[in-house]
Amino acid sequence: MPYVAADERYDRMVYNRCGRSGLLLPAISLGLWQNFGHDRPLETSRAILRRAFDLGITHFDLANNYGPPYGSAEENFGKLFADDFRPYRDELVISTKAGYDMWPGPYGDLGSRKYLLASLDQSLRRMGLDYVDIFYSHRADPDTPLEETMGALDTAVRQGKALYAGISSYSAERTREAHAILRDLGTPLLIHQPSYSLLNRWIEDGLLDALGELGVGCICFSPLAQGMLTSKYLGGIPAGSRASRNESFSPDLLTEETVEKLRGLNEIAEARGQSLAQLALAWVLRDARITSALLGASSVEQLQANVAALDRLELGEEELAEIERYATDGAINIWARSSAT
Ligand SMILES: NC(=O)c1ccc[n+]([C@@H]2O[C@H](COP(=O)([O-])OP(=O)(O)OC[C@H]3O[C@@H](n4cnc5c(N)ncnc54)[C@H](OP(=O)(O)O)[C@@H]3O)[C@@H](O)[C@H]2O)c1
């Protein structure tokens, strides 16, 4: 059946301004890091993307190496875009990135101009797009001059292959430097994509203040800590879950101490009439400097349940104080401070 987007797709979603730019992003965005590679049935990926757009999720986030194998999430997205979403291109914000290991040899990793611009061309070909909305430097590269990496983002924008420039997992200090370089080049830094969740709060130590001050948007990845901040691990590790696959998420993170914290948070969520996942999303979005929570979903049901967090976003002082008793920083999360260079 050809896809026709739901007429009511803009009725419930909240759209937030991205920093001091003209671009609005949905409060909840969908990432294609996992669940969209050649290892998953294309029809499941299709159903998730269709439902997301019908729920007002106008932003899909990719990277060159999402899969597995590398590149396959972009390839599958390209197929689904051609089948379903081409008529809606101007209603979508599609992002991709380069910065991690992608192809063999010295030009397929990190932050050189050579890698970033070649990778963007490959991403556009895989997705069948003329341009992406946001092109990111996926991580800081301490051995490449920041001027070179930011210069590549500026070139991508000037070539019309990206509309906006972004950075991911950069420290506060390097973010300030990147912002200044891009400003001088005439291409503003639109957005930063850091990890952030109830279990991983490194951005509260300087980065969030910098973004607020500079007027740069903030889209937080893994707001559910890869699924830890859902009720699924409260009674063990279910078969088929991300922890059970032990690839990007080690089951060792689910210590008794952590699960106790999750139980405490789950009780707060239940008292609000929410799921733990919905509370985790509301909590990430409580700060006006956060533009969007960038989540993943392995099923339509998960996605729908998560988006229903929008029905109850407000958190009172007492609830926030209670949450503080259980929310922790970095140490137990794989996306800890060390990823920010
Ligand atoms: N810039 C970067 O370096 C970077 C790094 C990582 C991610 N990202 C971006 O952030 C996006 C999201 O990352 P993420 O997938 O780690 O986010 P996440 O939202 O923290 O975790 C998503 C996973 O949690 C589980 N889940 C979600 N909702 C659930 C529910 N209601 N009940 C039970 N389980 C549920 C699912 O895993 P299972 O069902 O498989 O268990 C799902 O795939 C990525 O796709 C990517 O776009 C960026």
Side-chain angles (χ1 to χ4, degrees), residues 103-148:
W103 64 81
Y107 315 120
D109 199 358
L110 294 160
S112 70
R113 177 179 185 81
K114 168 82 176 161
Y115 171 43
L116 262 63
L117 292 176
S119 179
L120 177 56
D121 283 340
Q122 291 186 14
S123 291
L124 292 174
R125 275 199 297 275
R126 280 191 290 268
M127 293 192 279
L129 298 176
D130 300 326
Y131 71 95
V132 288
D133 296 274
I134 308 170
F135 184 47
Y136 284 94
S137 160
H138 208 158
R139 61 168 160 174
D141 171 5
D143 297 324
T144 296
L146 198 51
E147 287 76 6
E148 177 171 338

mmCIF file of all heavy atoms in Angstrom, residues 103-148:
data_model
loop_
_atom_site.group_PDB
_atom_site.id
_atom_site.type_symbol
_atom_site.label_atom_id
_atom_site.label_comp_id
_atom_site.label_asym_id
_atom_site.label_seq_id
_atom_site.Cartn_x
_atom_site.Cartn_y
_atom_site.Cartn_z
ATOM 1 N N TRP A 103 35.627 3.372 6.694
ATOM 2 C CA TRP A 103 36.245 2.513 5.671
ATOM 3 C C TRP A 103 37.731 2.385 5.954
ATOM 4 O O TRP A 103 38.291 3.207 6.696
ATOM 5 C CB TRP A 103 35.945 3.003 4.251
ATOM 6 C CG TRP A 103 36.483 4.358 3.862
ATOM 7 C CD1 TRP A 103 37.749 4.653 3.463
ATOM 8 C CD2 TRP A 103 35.751 5.594 3.793
ATOM 9 N NE1 TRP A 103 37.854 5.995 3.167
ATOM 10 C CE2 TRP A 103 36.639 6.591 3.349
ATOM 11 C CE3 TRP A 103 34.415 5.955 4.063
ATOM 12 C CZ2 TRP A 103 36.256 7.922 3.177
ATOM 13 C CZ3 TRP A 103 34.036 7.282 3.879
ATOM 14 C CH2 TRP A 103 34.952 8.245 3.450
ATOM 15 N N PRO A 104 38.393 1.339 5.368
ATOM 16 C CA PRO A 104 39.793 1.066 5.715
ATOM 17 C C PRO A 104 40.737 2.161 5.238
ATOM 18 O O PRO A 104 40.405 2.917 4.312
ATOM 19 C CB PRO A 104 40.105 -0.248 4.977
ATOM 20 C CG PRO A 104 38.871 -0.688 4.314
ATOM 21 C CD PRO A 104 37.832 0.376 4.413
ATOM 22 N N GLY A 105 41.904 2.210 5.849
ATOM 23 C CA GLY A 105 42.922 3.175 5.426
ATOM 24 C C GLY A 105 42.840 4.451 6.224
ATOM 25 O O GLY A 105 41.968 4.605 7.088
ATOM 26 N N PRO A 106 43.743 5.400 5.925
ATOM 27 C CA PRO A 106 43.855 6.600 6.758
ATOM 28 C C PRO A 106 42.782 7.657 6.511
ATOM 29 O O PRO A 106 42.754 8.672 7.203
ATOM 30 C CB PRO A 106 45.245 7.150 6.380
ATOM 31 C CG PRO A 106 45.573 6.559 5.057
ATOM 32 C CD PRO A 106 44.813 5.284 4.911
ATOM 33 N N TYR A 107 41.890 7.455 5.534
ATOM 34 C CA TYR A 107 40.935 8.527 5.185
ATOM 35 C C TYR A 107 39.494 8.186 5.535
ATOM 36 O O TYR A 107 38.572 8.838 5.069
ATOM 37 C CB TYR A 107 41.037 8.851 3.682
ATOM 38 C CG TYR A 107 42.466 8.953 3.214
ATOM 39 C CD1 TYR A 107 42.949 8.113 2.217
ATOM 40 C CD2 TYR A 107 43.342 9.853 3.820
ATOM 41 C CE1 TYR A 107 44.276 8.175 1.830
ATOM 42 C CE2 TYR A 107 44.670 9.910 3.438
ATOM 43 C CZ TYR A 107 45.134 9.067 2.450
ATOM 44 O OH TYR A 107 46.439 9.109 2.074
ATOM 45 N N GLY A 108 39.305 7.129 6.355
ATOM 46 C CA GLY A 108 37.935 6.698 6.658
ATOM 47 C C GLY A 108 37.574 6.817 8.120
ATOM 48 O O GLY A 108 36.733 6.052 8.613
ATOM 49 N N ASP A 109 38.173 7.773 8.838
ATOM 50 C CA ASP A 109 37.940 7.885 10.276
ATOM 51 C C ASP A 109 38.322 9.305 10.722
ATOM 52 O O ASP A 109 39.057 10.010 10.016
ATOM 53 C CB ASP A 109 38.829 6.837 11.000
ATOM 54 C CG ASP A 109 38.348 6.549 12.426
ATOM 55 O OD1 ASP A 109 37.370 7.163 12.877
ATOM 56 O OD2 ASP A 109 38.967 5.699 13.092
ATOM 57 N N LEU A 110 37.803 9.708 11.860
ATOM 58 C CA LEU A 110 38.192 10.934 12.580
ATOM 59 C C LEU A 110 37.758 12.234 11.895
ATOM 60 O O LEU A 110 36.604 12.297 11.461
ATOM 61 C CB LEU A 110 39.689 10.884 12.894
ATOM 62 C CG LEU A 110 40.003 9.751 13.904
ATOM 63 C CD1 LEU A 110 41.474 9.367 13.867
ATOM 64 C CD2 LEU A 110 39.575 10.155 15.307
ATOM 65 N N GLY A 111 38.659 13.255 11.796
ATOM 66 C CA GLY A 111 38.118 14.589 11.501
ATOM 67 C C GLY A 111 38.727 15.332 10.336
ATOM 68 O O GLY A 111 38.585 16.559 10.266
ATOM 69 N N SER A 112 39.390 14.624 9.406
ATOM 70 C CA SER A 112 40.012 15.377 8.302
ATOM 71 C C SER A 112 38.958 15.864 7.313
ATOM 72 O O SER A 112 37.881 15.277 7.169
ATOM 73 C CB SER A 112 41.040 14.509 7.561
ATOM 74 O OG SER A 112 40.388 13.491 6.837
ATOM 75 N N ARG A 113 39.308 16.907 6.595
ATOM 76 C CA ARG A 113 38.463 17.413 5.505
ATOM 77 C C ARG A 113 38.244 16.319 4.457
ATOM 78 O O ARG A 113 37.139 16.120 3.943
ATOM 79 C CB ARG A 113 39.199 18.609 4.892
ATOM 80 C CG ARG A 113 38.529 19.239 3.709
ATOM 81 C CD ARG A 113 39.358 20.425 3.215
ATOM 82 N NE ARG A 113 38.651 21.096 2.147
ATOM 83 C CZ ARG A 113 37.673 21.977 2.356
ATOM 84 N NH1 ARG A 113 37.304 22.317 3.563
ATOM 85 N NH2 ARG A 113 37.054 22.524 1.332
ATOM 86 N N LYS A 114 39.331 15.586 4.172
ATOM 87 C CA LYS A 114 39.292 14.496 3.190
ATOM 88 C C LYS A 114 38.188 13.484 3.559
ATOM 89 O O LYS A 114 37.378 13.094 2.713
ATOM 90 C CB LYS A 114 40.678 13.814 3.178
ATOM 91 C CG LYS A 114 40.769 12.501 2.451
ATOM 92 C CD LYS A 114 40.925 12.687 0.976
ATOM 93 C CE LYS A 114 41.123 11.352 0.265
ATOM 94 N NZ LYS A 114 40.833 11.485 -1.169
ATOM 95 N N TYR A 115 38.174 13.056 4.824
ATOM 96 C CA TYR A 115 37.179 12.058 5.260
ATOM 97 C C TYR A 115 35.767 12.631 5.271
ATOM 98 O O TYR A 115 34.829 12.031 4.738
ATOM 99 C CB TYR A 115 37.577 11.550 6.655
ATOM 100 C CG TYR A 115 36.554 10.676 7.346
ATOM 101 C CD1 TYR A 115 35.862 9.682 6.653
ATOM 102 C CD2 TYR A 115 36.282 10.825 8.704
ATOM 103 C CE1 TYR A 115 34.930 8.876 7.299
ATOM 104 C CE2 TYR A 115 35.353 10.023 9.353
ATOM 105 C CZ TYR A 115 34.676 9.053 8.637
ATOM 106 O OH TYR A 115 33.757 8.261 9.274
ATOM 107 N N LEU A 116 35.601 13.801 5.894
ATOM 108 C CA LEU A 116 34.238 14.303 6.085
ATOM 109 C C LEU A 116 33.521 14.544 4.757
ATOM 110 O O LEU A 116 32.362 14.151 4.586
ATOM 111 C CB LEU A 116 34.253 15.595 6.919
ATOM 112 C CG LEU A 116 33.951 15.388 8.407
ATOM 113 C CD1 LEU A 116 34.992 14.517 9.081
ATOM 114 C CD2 LEU A 116 33.813 16.706 9.149
ATOM 115 N N LEU A 117 34.223 15.167 3.807
ATOM 116 C CA LEU A 117 33.526 15.523 2.562
ATOM 117 C C LEU A 117 33.285 14.290 1.688
ATOM 118 O O LEU A 117 32.234 14.165 1.045
ATOM 119 C CB LEU A 117 34.285 16.625 1.836
ATOM 120 C CG LEU A 117 34.250 17.970 2.606
ATOM 121 C CD1 LEU A 117 35.102 19.028 1.910
ATOM 122 C CD2 LEU A 117 32.817 18.482 2.781
ATOM 123 N N ALA A 118 34.237 13.347 1.681
ATOM 124 C CA ALA A 118 34.013 12.102 0.926
ATOM 125 C C ALA A 118 32.863 11.319 1.546
ATOM 126 O O ALA A 118 32.006 10.766 0.842
ATOM 127 C CB ALA A 118 35.288 11.259 0.928
ATOM 128 N N SER A 119 32.829 11.294 2.875
ATOM 129 C CA SER A 119 31.785 10.528 3.562
ATOM 130 C C SER A 119 30.398 11.127 3.299
ATOM 131 O O SER A 119 29.430 10.392 3.091
ATOM 132 C CB SER A 119 32.067 10.498 5.063
ATOM 133 O OG SER A 119 31.047 9.774 5.708
ATOM 134 N N LEU A 120 30.321 12.448 3.297
ATOM 135 C CA LEU A 120 29.019 13.068 3.044
ATOM 136 C C LEU A 120 28.523 12.697 1.646
ATOM 137 O O LEU A 120 27.345 12.371 1.458
ATOM 138 C CB LEU A 120 29.114 14.592 3.210
ATOM 139 C CG LEU A 120 27.831 15.366 2.906
ATOM 140 C CD1 LEU A 120 26.642 14.875 3.744
ATOM 141 C CD2 LEU A 120 28.040 16.867 3.140
ATOM 142 N N ASP A 121 29.411 12.701 0.651
ATOM 143 C CA ASP A 121 28.999 12.303 -0.705
ATOM 144 C C ASP A 121 28.473 10.868 -0.705
ATOM 145 O O ASP A 121 27.459 10.558 -1.334
ATOM 146 C CB ASP A 121 30.172 12.440 -1.683
ATOM 147 C CG ASP A 121 30.413 13.903 -2.074
ATOM 148 O OD1 ASP A 121 29.491 14.722 -1.903
ATOM 149 O OD2 ASP A 121 31.527 14.218 -2.537
ATOM 150 N N GLN A 122 29.167 9.982 0.024
ATOM 151 C CA GLN A 122 28.712 8.585 0.092
ATOM 152 C C GLN A 122 27.343 8.497 0.768
ATOM 153 O O GLN A 122 26.465 7.753 0.330
ATOM 154 C CB GLN A 122 29.705 7.736 0.891
ATOM 155 C CG GLN A 122 31.039 7.537 0.197
ATOM 156 C CD GLN A 122 31.931 6.552 0.968
ATOM 157 O OE1 GLN A 122 31.468 5.837 1.851
ATOM 158 N NE2 GLN A 122 33.203 6.517 0.619
ATOM 159 N N SER A 123 27.173 9.242 1.851
ATOM 160 C CA SER A 123 25.883 9.201 2.578
ATOM 161 C C SER A 123 24.740 9.666 1.671
ATOM 162 O O SER A 123 23.663 9.057 1.655
ATOM 163 C CB SER A 123 25.938 10.083 3.825
ATOM 164 O OG SER A 123 26.810 9.530 4.782
ATOM 165 N N LEU A 124 24.978 10.747 0.937
ATOM 166 C CA LEU A 124 23.922 11.257 0.049
ATOM 167 C C LEU A 124 23.559 10.213 -1.000
ATOM 168 O O LEU A 124 22.376 10.000 -1.309
ATOM 169 C CB LEU A 124 24.372 12.564 -0.618
ATOM 170 C CG LEU A 124 24.517 13.767 0.330
ATOM 171 C CD1 LEU A 124 25.109 14.980 -0.402
ATOM 172 C CD2 LEU A 124 23.170 14.145 0.953
ATOM 173 N N ARG A 125 24.588 9.525 -1.533
ATOM 174 C CA ARG A 125 24.308 8.480 -2.539
ATOM 175 C C ARG A 125 23.498 7.341 -1.922
ATOM 176 O O ARG A 125 22.535 6.868 -2.514
ATOM 177 C CB ARG A 125 25.624 7.933 -3.113
ATOM 178 C CG ARG A 125 26.163 8.769 -4.279
ATOM 179 C CD ARG A 125 27.167 7.990 -5.110
ATOM 180 N NE ARG A 125 28.364 7.628 -4.354
ATOM 181 C CZ ARG A 125 29.421 8.428 -4.187
ATOM 182 N NH1 ARG A 125 29.431 9.643 -4.701
ATOM 183 N NH2 ARG A 125 30.465 8.018 -3.499
ATOM 184 N N ARG A 126 23.893 6.899 -0.733
ATOM 185 C CA ARG A 126 23.170 5.769 -0.107
ATOM 186 C C ARG A 126 21.714 6.129 0.176
ATOM 187 O O ARG A 126 20.824 5.312 0.054
ATOM 188 C CB ARG A 126 23.851 5.349 1.205
ATOM 189 C CG ARG A 126 25.074 4.479 1.001
ATOM 190 C CD ARG A 126 25.554 3.884 2.310
ATOM 191 N NE ARG A 126 26.121 4.874 3.193
ATOM 192 C CZ ARG A 126 27.425 5.193 3.243
ATOM 193 N NH1 ARG A 126 28.291 4.555 2.484
ATOM 194 N NH2 ARG A 126 27.858 6.117 4.061
ATOM 195 N N MET A 127 21.487 7.367 0.574
ATOM 196 C CA MET A 127 20.117 7.759 0.944
ATOM 197 C C MET A 127 19.318 8.280 -0.252
ATOM 198 O O MET A 127 18.112 8.503 -0.137
ATOM 199 C CB MET A 127 20.159 8.821 2.048
ATOM 200 C CG MET A 127 20.704 8.267 3.358
ATOM 201 S SD MET A 127 20.459 9.375 4.766
ATOM 202 C CE MET A 127 21.813 10.506 4.546
ATOM 203 N N GLY A 128 19.996 8.500 -1.376
ATOM 204 C CA GLY A 128 19.294 9.026 -2.547
ATOM 205 C C GLY A 128 18.799 10.446 -2.319
ATOM 206 O O GLY A 128 17.737 10.836 -2.811
ATOM 207 N N LEU A 129 19.578 11.230 -1.584
ATOM 208 C CA LEU A 129 19.187 12.610 -1.278
ATOM 209 C C LEU A 129 20.108 13.590 -1.998
ATOM 210 O O LEU A 129 21.279 13.288 -2.251
ATOM 211 C CB LEU A 129 19.301 12.877 0.230
ATOM 212 C CG LEU A 129 18.418 12.057 1.174
ATOM 213 C CD1 LEU A 129 18.748 12.398 2.628
ATOM 214 C CD2 LEU A 129 16.937 12.305 0.896
ATOM 215 N N ASP A 130 19.593 14.784 -2.293
ATOM 216 C CA ASP A 130 20.438 15.857 -2.847
ATOM 217 C C ASP A 130 21.187 16.561 -1.728
ATOM 218 O O ASP A 130 22.249 17.134 -1.945
ATOM 219 C CB ASP A 130 19.576 16.929 -3.533
ATOM 220 C CG ASP A 130 18.765 16.344 -4.668
ATOM 221 O OD1 ASP A 130 19.281 15.423 -5.328
ATOM 222 O OD2 ASP A 130 17.617 16.790 -4.866
ATOM 223 N N TYR A 131 20.584 16.576 -0.551
ATOM 224 C CA TYR A 131 21.198 17.275 0.590
ATOM 225 C C TYR A 131 20.687 16.662 1.882
ATOM 226 O O TYR A 131 19.623 16.021 1.894
ATOM 227 C CB TYR A 131 20.838 18.777 0.550
ATOM 228 C CG TYR A 131 19.399 19.045 0.887
ATOM 229 C CD1 TYR A 131 18.999 19.368 2.187
ATOM 230 C CD2 TYR A 131 18.400 18.929 -0.089
ATOM 231 C CE1 TYR A 131 17.667 19.573 2.497
ATOM 232 C CE2 TYR A 131 17.063 19.127 0.221
ATOM 233 C CZ TYR A 131 16.702 19.453 1.512
ATOM 234 O OH TYR A 131 15.380 19.637 1.835
ATOM 235 N N VAL A 132 21.460 16.818 2.953
ATOM 236 C CA VAL A 132 20.923 16.527 4.291
ATOM 237 C C VAL A 132 20.654 17.866 4.969
ATOM 238 O O VAL A 132 21.229 18.895 4.582
ATOM 239 C CB VAL A 132 21.890 15.694 5.170
ATOM 240 C CG1 VAL A 132 21.970 14.257 4.685
ATOM 241 C CG2 VAL A 132 23.255 16.341 5.274
ATOM 242 N N ASP A 133 19.812 17.829 5.967
ATOM 243 C CA ASP A 133 19.513 19.077 6.671
ATOM 244 C C ASP A 133 20.639 19.443 7.631
ATOM 245 O O ASP A 133 20.979 20.617 7.767
ATOM 246 C CB ASP A 133 18.170 18.926 7.394
ATOM 247 C CG ASP A 133 17.056 18.736 6.388
ATOM 248 O OD1 ASP A 133 16.527 19.739 5.891
ATOM 249 O OD2 ASP A 133 16.772 17.571 6.024
ATOM 250 N N ILE A 134 21.162 18.427 8.328
ATOM 251 C CA ILE A 134 22.257 18.685 9.278
ATOM 252 C C ILE A 134 23.391 17.704 9.006
ATOM 253 O O ILE A 134 23.156 16.489 8.898
ATOM 254 C CB ILE A 134 21.796 18.503 10.749
ATOM 255 C CG1 ILE A 134 20.530 19.317 11.043
ATOM 256 C CG2 ILE A 134 22.923 18.897 11.713
ATOM 257 C CD1 ILE A 134 19.883 19.009 12.402
ATOM 258 N N PHE A 135 24.606 18.224 8.893
ATOM 259 C CA PHE A 135 25.784 17.353 8.783
ATOM 260 C C PHE A 135 26.657 17.591 10.012
ATOM 261 O O PHE A 135 27.000 18.721 10.336
ATOM 262 C CB PHE A 135 26.569 17.658 7.502
ATOM 263 C CG PHE A 135 27.747 16.738 7.287
ATOM 264 C CD1 PHE A 135 27.624 15.358 7.428
ATOM 265 C CD2 PHE A 135 28.988 17.254 6.935
ATOM 266 C CE1 PHE A 135 28.707 14.500 7.222
ATOM 267 C CE2 PHE A 135 30.081 16.405 6.715
ATOM 268 C CZ PHE A 135 29.926 15.033 6.866
ATOM 269 N N TYR A 136 26.984 16.478 10.687
ATOM 270 C CA TYR A 136 27.710 16.553 11.954
ATOM 271 C C TYR A 136 29.138 16.052 11.829
ATOM 272 O O TYR A 136 29.388 15.033 11.168
ATOM 273 C CB TYR A 136 27.093 15.607 12.977
ATOM 274 C CG TYR A 136 25.802 15.996 13.635
ATOM 275 C CD1 TYR A 136 24.587 15.571 13.115
ATOM 276 C CD2 TYR A 136 25.799 16.729 14.818
ATOM 277 C CE1 TYR A 136 23.383 15.871 13.763
ATOM 278 C CE2 TYR A 136 24.608 17.029 15.469
ATOM 279 C CZ TYR A 136 23.407 16.608 14.933
ATOM 280 O OH TYR A 136 22.235 16.901 15.581
ATOM 281 N N SER A 137 30.027 16.678 12.585
ATOM 282 C CA SER A 137 31.285 16.039 12.972
ATOM 283 C C SER A 137 30.920 15.164 14.170
ATOM 284 O O SER A 137 30.515 15.660 15.210
ATOM 285 C CB SER A 137 32.318 17.100 13.359
ATOM 286 O OG SER A 137 33.331 16.502 14.136
ATOM 287 N N HIS A 138 31.075 13.837 13.997
ATOM 288 C CA HIS A 138 30.517 12.860 14.950
ATOM 289 C C HIS A 138 31.281 12.839 16.270
ATOM 290 O O HIS A 138 30.764 12.452 17.299
ATOM 291 C CB HIS A 138 30.575 11.476 14.295
ATOM 292 C CG HIS A 138 29.540 10.499 14.755
ATOM 293 N ND1 HIS A 138 29.176 9.418 13.997
ATOM 294 C CD2 HIS A 138 28.802 10.407 15.882
ATOM 295 C CE1 HIS A 138 28.266 8.709 14.654
ATOM 296 N NE2 HIS A 138 28.025 9.284 15.807
ATOM 297 N N ARG A 139 32.546 13.234 16.211
ATOM 298 C CA ARG A 139 33.340 13.333 17.452
ATOM 299 C C ARG A 139 34.524 14.252 17.205
ATOM 300 O O ARG A 139 34.960 14.422 16.055
ATOM 301 C CB ARG A 139 33.842 11.975 17.917
ATOM 302 C CG ARG A 139 34.753 11.289 16.927
ATOM 303 C CD ARG A 139 35.451 10.091 17.556
ATOM 304 N NE ARG A 139 35.941 9.183 16.524
ATOM 305 C CZ ARG A 139 36.679 8.119 16.782
ATOM 306 N NH1 ARG A 139 37.018 7.828 18.016
ATOM 307 N NH2 ARG A 139 37.085 7.339 15.797
ATOM 308 N N ALA A 140 35.035 14.813 18.283
ATOM 309 C CA ALA A 140 36.212 15.667 18.164
ATOM 310 C C ALA A 140 37.430 14.800 17.868
ATOM 311 O O ALA A 140 37.528 13.671 18.346
ATOM 312 C CB ALA A 140 36.416 16.432 19.463
ATOM 313 N N ASP A 141 38.337 15.342 17.061
ATOM 314 C CA ASP A 141 39.576 14.628 16.724
ATOM 315 C C ASP A 141 40.736 15.495 17.188
ATOM 316 O O ASP A 141 41.053 16.500 16.560
ATOM 317 C CB ASP A 141 39.626 14.415 15.206
ATOM 318 C CG ASP A 141 40.970 13.878 14.742
ATOM 319 O OD1 ASP A 141 41.834 13.577 15.602
ATOM 320 O OD2 ASP A 141 41.151 13.773 13.509
ATOM 321 N N PRO A 142 41.365 15.138 18.291
ATOM 322 C CA PRO A 142 42.414 15.999 18.859
ATOM 323 C C PRO A 142 43.623 16.167 17.942
ATOM 324 O O PRO A 142 44.388 17.115 18.106
ATOM 325 C CB PRO A 142 42.816 15.288 20.156
ATOM 326 C CG PRO A 142 42.130 13.973 20.166
ATOM 327 C CD PRO A 142 41.112 13.929 19.079
ATOM 328 N N ASP A 143 43.792 15.287 16.948
ATOM 329 C CA ASP A 143 44.978 15.383 16.085
ATOM 330 C C ASP A 143 44.743 16.177 14.801
ATOM 331 O O ASP A 143 45.663 16.376 14.018
ATOM 332 C CB ASP A 143 45.478 13.973 15.731
ATOM 333 C CG ASP A 143 45.923 13.232 16.986
ATOM 334 O OD1 ASP A 143 46.485 13.894 17.882
ATOM 335 O OD2 ASP A 143 45.648 12.019 17.082
ATOM 336 N N THR A 144 43.512 16.575 14.553
ATOM 337 C CA THR A 144 43.227 17.391 13.360
ATOM 338 C C THR A 144 42.907 18.800 13.834
ATOM 339 O O THR A 144 42.109 18.958 14.772
ATOM 340 C CB THR A 144 42.015 16.809 12.589
ATOM 341 O OG1 THR A 144 42.353 15.512 12.112
ATOM 342 C CG2 THR A 144 41.619 17.684 11.409
ATOM 343 N N PRO A 145 43.490 19.828 13.209
ATOM 344 C CA PRO A 145 43.131 21.198 13.623
ATOM 345 C C PRO A 145 41.613 21.392 13.526
ATOM 346 O O PRO A 145 41.002 20.982 12.530
ATOM 347 C CB PRO A 145 43.867 22.083 12.612
ATOM 348 C CG PRO A 145 44.935 21.222 12.024
ATOM 349 C CD PRO A 145 44.451 19.802 12.103
ATOM 350 N N LEU A 146 41.058 22.009 14.562
ATOM 351 C CA LEU A 146 39.609 22.215 14.564
ATOM 352 C C LEU A 146 39.179 23.066 13.357
ATOM 353 O O LEU A 146 38.090 22.900 12.817
ATOM 354 C CB LEU A 146 39.223 22.890 15.886
ATOM 355 C CG LEU A 146 37.771 22.829 16.314
ATOM 356 C CD1 LEU A 146 37.206 21.414 16.274
ATOM 357 C CD2 LEU A 146 37.622 23.411 17.721
ATOM 358 N N GLU A 147 40.072 23.961 12.928
ATOM 359 C CA GLU A 147 39.775 24.799 11.748
ATOM 360 C C GLU A 147 39.504 23.924 10.521
ATOM 361 O O GLU A 147 38.666 24.247 9.686
ATOM 362 C CB GLU A 147 40.956 25.734 11.427
ATOM 363 C CG GLU A 147 41.143 26.893 12.387
ATOM 364 C CD GLU A 147 41.776 26.480 13.721
ATOM 365 O OE1 GLU A 147 42.179 25.303 13.867
ATOM 366 O OE2 GLU A 147 41.835 27.344 14.623
ATOM 367 N N GLU A 148 40.247 22.810 10.418
ATOM 368 C CA GLU A 148 40.067 21.932 9.247
ATOM 369 C C GLU A 148 38.707 21.217 9.315
ATOM 370 O O GLU A 148 37.968 21.167 8.316
ATOM 371 C CB GLU A 148 41.201 20.896 9.181
ATOM 372 C CG GLU A 148 41.008 19.917 8.029
ATOM 373 C CD GLU A 148 42.214 18.994 7.794
ATOM 374 O OE1 GLU A 148 43.342 19.358 8.205
ATOM 375 O OE2 GLU A 148 42.012 17.923 7.190
#
